Amino acid sequence: MNQPSAPTGPVPTMFEAIVRQMTVTATYNKGAVTIAPHILYTRHGEIYVDATTVERDGRPPREEKLGTFKLDGLGDPTLTTNTFRPSALFEPEAEKYVGVTLMAVELG
């Protein structure tokens, strides 16, 4: 008997990345990015992910910041084997997340 395959696509990929605290590679604004997704939420009927950028076009960012990415804008999000620690900049109780959070990293 065949095992059912796991769900695929951007949303299941982000869910798994958040639960397992693994980075994701994707294309964003025509560039390659590696992000550490912290939370998936909805706004105006669209899905967004707030994440720290680990690498953009092969280079680490100058400073750590939590950025907002529209999930539709992330091309071919792919789970990596690299894990991340949740950023101290992430505030899961922030007002913008109240009542719209789909999934968030567990803070230690």
Side-chain angles (χ1 to χ4, degrees):
M1 198 143 111
N2 287 347
Q3 291 282 41
S5 61
T8 59
V11 173
T13 298
M14 288 301 170
F15 279 166
E16 185 173 355
I18 289 169
V19 169
R20 297 176 64 195
Q21 294 183 9
M22 299 178 89
T23 61
V24 170
T25 59
T27 307
Y28 192 73
N29 289 340
K30 298 184 180 139
V33 293
T34 302
I35 59 172
H38 282 56
I39 189 166
L40 204 60
Y41 62 99
T42 59
R43 184 168 68 204
H44 308 300
E46 302 281 353
I47 299 176
Y48 290 84
V49 59
D50 281 6
T52 55
T53 301
V54 177
E55 235 178 45
R56 186 179 299 265
D57 296 323
R59 294 191 304 275
R62 286 189 296 279
E63 60 183 308
E64 182 183 29
K65 67 180 185 201
L66 199 64
T68 299
F69 299 87
K70 189 173 181 181
L71 194 56
D72 285 352
L74 290 170
D76 193 27
T78 306
L79 207 57
T80 72
T81 56
N82 301 323
T83 58
F84 67 88
R85 291 185 165 283
S87 170
L89 301 174
F90 176 54
E91 298 174 356
E93 68 285 340
E95 190 166 327
K96 75 188 239 180
Y97 305 133
V98 174
V100 295
T101 298
L102 301 174
M103 174 84 58
V105 293
E106 296 282 325
L107 297 180

